[in-house]
């Protein structure tokens, strides 16, 4: 356990936007999303969210997606509603969503008794845009009527493509942007709880705050990931649901 905790804090003094991320996340060697070879439209990719303590339990969130666009600017993928996915849950309480647990338990650095849990992605589907070299991805959501609902800026670890997978880690703090441009911060209480209960420290929280400021600066400067043309996206009707991820 000491080794795991040390790995989380190993880069806390390396600067607010370390290109390797604010803490260590184990993953295979690979390439950035803006590097060739580029993936073809319609190809399948497993989006993997890994935690800093992955090596203690070996579980992760796995979400199969379809490639929409991939070039030197970054990667765009589609996660269809009903897609079979895998979550990381606490052993013995696999049917309990982690977001329904108390913060003290959820963010305890000793809570590593996790197992893989199969489920499906609910909703109408989400378009995810991963700009090269940025510590976030931009998610676009639509209502059941087809009306565009919001952008959701998910602060994340630097993205690595390796094999059939994209590896990253969730940084808890997020930003919701309404169609009228209204900006709403999400899950600050969770970031503060992660520090309060020992999962992360103040240095990591400060780095995540810097990521938030960068994401907002990019949005306001007209970064291609926020181009309003993406709100008109329609998935290819020939795309079938991906198979369930292997455990």
């Amino acid at each position: 356990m000491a080794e795991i905790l040390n790995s989380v804090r190993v880069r806390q003094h390396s600067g607010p936007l370390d290109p390797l991320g604010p803490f260590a996340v184990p993953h295979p060697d690979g390439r950035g999303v803006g590097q060739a070879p580029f993936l073809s439209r319609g190809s399948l990719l497993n989006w993997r969210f890994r935690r800093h303590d992955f090596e203690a339990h070996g579980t992760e969130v796995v979400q199969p997606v379809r490639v929409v666009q991939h070039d030197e600017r970054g990667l765009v993928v589609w996660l269809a509603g009903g897609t079979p996915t895998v979550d990381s849950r606490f052993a013995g309480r696999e049917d309990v969503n982690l977001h329904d647990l108390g913060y003290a338990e959820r963010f305890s650095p000793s809570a590593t008794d996790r197992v893989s849990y199969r489920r499906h992605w609910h909703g109408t589907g989400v378009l995810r845009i991963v700009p090269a070299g940025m510590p976030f991805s931009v998610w676009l959501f639509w209502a059941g009527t087809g009306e565009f609902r919001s952008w959701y800026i998910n602060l994340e670890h630097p993205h690595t493509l390796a094999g059939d997978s994209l590896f990253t880690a969730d940084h808890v703090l997020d930003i919701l942007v309404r169609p009228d441009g209204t900006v709403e911060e999400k899950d600050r209480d969770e970031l503060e709880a992660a520090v309060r209960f020992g999962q992360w420290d103040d240095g990591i929280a400060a780095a995540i705050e810097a990521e938030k400021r960068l994401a907002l600066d990019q949005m306001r400067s007209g970064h291609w990931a926020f181009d309003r043309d993406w709100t008109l996206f329609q998935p290819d009707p020939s795309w079938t649901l991906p198979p369930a991820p292997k455990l």
Side-chain angles (χ1 to χ4, degrees):
M1 181 59 63
E3 289 79 5
I4 294 171
L5 295 180
N6 288 338
S7 74
V8 178
R9 296 179 172 88
V10 68
R11 284 194 290 270
Q12 63 175 308
H13 300 300
S14 57
L17 284 175
D18 191 307
L20 298 178
F23 52 85
V25 175
H27 60 70
D29 291 337
R31 66 190 190 279
V33 295
Q35 296 177 295
F38 298 118
L39 303 173
S40 59
R41 180 179 173 87
S43 59
L44 289 173
L45 187 69
N46 287 313
W47 185 299
R48 298 180 184 270
F49 282 112
R50 283 192 175 178
R51 290 171 49 86
H52 62 276
D53 55 5
F54 171 79
E55 292 176 336
H57 49 78
T59 67
E60 59 192 336
V61 174
V62 187
Q63 300 165 340
V65 295
R66 293 271 183 188
V67 174
V68 174
Q69 177 180 300
H70 190 202
D71 55 30
E72 66 280 352
R73 297 185 304 168
L75 175 68
V76 183
V77 299
W78 171 248
L79 174 56
T83 296
T85 63
V86 173
D87 266 6
S88 174
R89 300 277 180 94
F90 285 127
R93 287 176 295 165
E94 293 87 346
D95 59 341
V96 179
N97 191 306
L98 294 178
H99 291 276
D100 296 329
L101 297 174
Y103 289 156
E105 182 176 18
R106 183 178 167 195
F107 293 111
S108 169
S110 61
T112 58
D113 188 14
R114 292 173 174 259
V115 295
S116 296
Y117 178 78
R118 291 195 180 279
R119 57 176 301 191
H120 292 80
W121 183 264
H122 297 290
T124 57
V126 55
L127 187 73
R128 295 181 179 178
I129 303 173
V130 188
M134 293 292 170
F136 60 85
S137 62
V138 182
W139 301 12
L140 282 75
F141 289 92
W142 288 264
T145 60
E147 181 182 8
F148 177 66
R149 197 172 70 190
S150 63
W151 291 273
Y152 195 90
I153 306 174
N154 208 58
L155 302 180
E156 296 167 353
H157 231 60
H159 305 84
T160 299
L161 284 167
D164 65 352
S165 297
L166 174 75
F167 294 88
T168 187
D170 185 72
H171 287 177
V172 178
L173 187 65
D174 302 306
I175 308 162
L176 180 70
V177 184
R178 304 288 184 186
D180 64 359
T182 302
V183 175
E184 178 183 345
E185 189 179 75
K186 303 289 289 185
D187 301 328
R188 170 161 295 282
D189 55 337
E190 297 184 10
L191 178 61
E192 292 173 349
V195 174
R196 183 165 69 252
F197 293 107
Q199 175 176 294
W200 293 337
D201 60 24
D202 290 335
I204 291 174
I208 293 171
E209 294 281 3
E211 293 172 356
K212 182 194 76 171
R213 292 192 294 272
L214 174 63
L216 289 173
D217 286 347
Q218 293 298 312
M219 179 188 72
R220 290 163 178 155
S221 65
H223 191 284
W224 71 272
F226 299 94
D227 192 318
R228 284 187 174 268
D229 285 349
W230 289 117
T231 67
L232 306 176
F233 172 79
Q234 294 287 330
D236 190 319
S238 69
W239 289 348
T240 58
L241 289 181
K246 297 180 180 179
L247 296 179

